[in-house]
Amino acid sequence: MSELTFRVATEMDAESIAEIVNGAYRPKKGEGGWTHESDLVKGDRTTPDQVRTLIKDSSVVVGLSADAIVCCAHVAIEHGAAH
């Protein structure tokens, strides 16, 4: 894997971010993982439109490997504190 670089996401990244988040929280049947919610909640965790709203209202940072988005983090400020 090439070295990761990071930048603030743009609305053009929404599709890739939604795909990464849905893959992490809603893996395909038979796939496991510590964030697995498929047995608890059906459907996608997020949509590209929801991601676009987050990008407009707060910050999303993406990690890139060879110019492909491979990870992301949502950062928001509420009540004077970041989370």
Side-chain angles (χ1 to χ4, degrees), residues 46-67:
T46 194
T47 66
D49 285 338
Q50 290 170 322
V51 173
R52 284 184 197 94
T53 298
L54 284 176
I55 289 169
K56 287 179 191 174
D57 296 342
S58 56
S59 294
V60 176
V61 177
V62 291
L64 299 103
S65 176
D67 295 327

Side-chain angles (χ1 to χ4, degrees), residues 25-42:
Y25 287 93
R26 306 288 195 273
K28 293 179 179 67
K29 192 166 182 79
E31 290 182 339
W34 67 274
T35 59
H36 195 293
E37 296 178 342
S38 294
D39 295 336
L40 304 172
V41 182
K42 301 297 179 205

Side-chain angles (χ1 to χ4, degrees), residues 65-81:
S65 176
D67 295 327
I69 296 173
V70 296
C71 60
C72 58
H74 173 229
V75 181
I77 297 175
E78 288 186 12
H79 311 292

Side-chain angles (χ1 to χ4, degrees), residues 6-23:
F6 297 91
R7 65 171 171 76
V8 175
T10 68
E11 289 185 39
M12 292 176 48
D13 300 322
E15 294 277 341
S16 295
I17 293 168
E19 186 177 315
I20 287 170
V21 171
N22 288 328

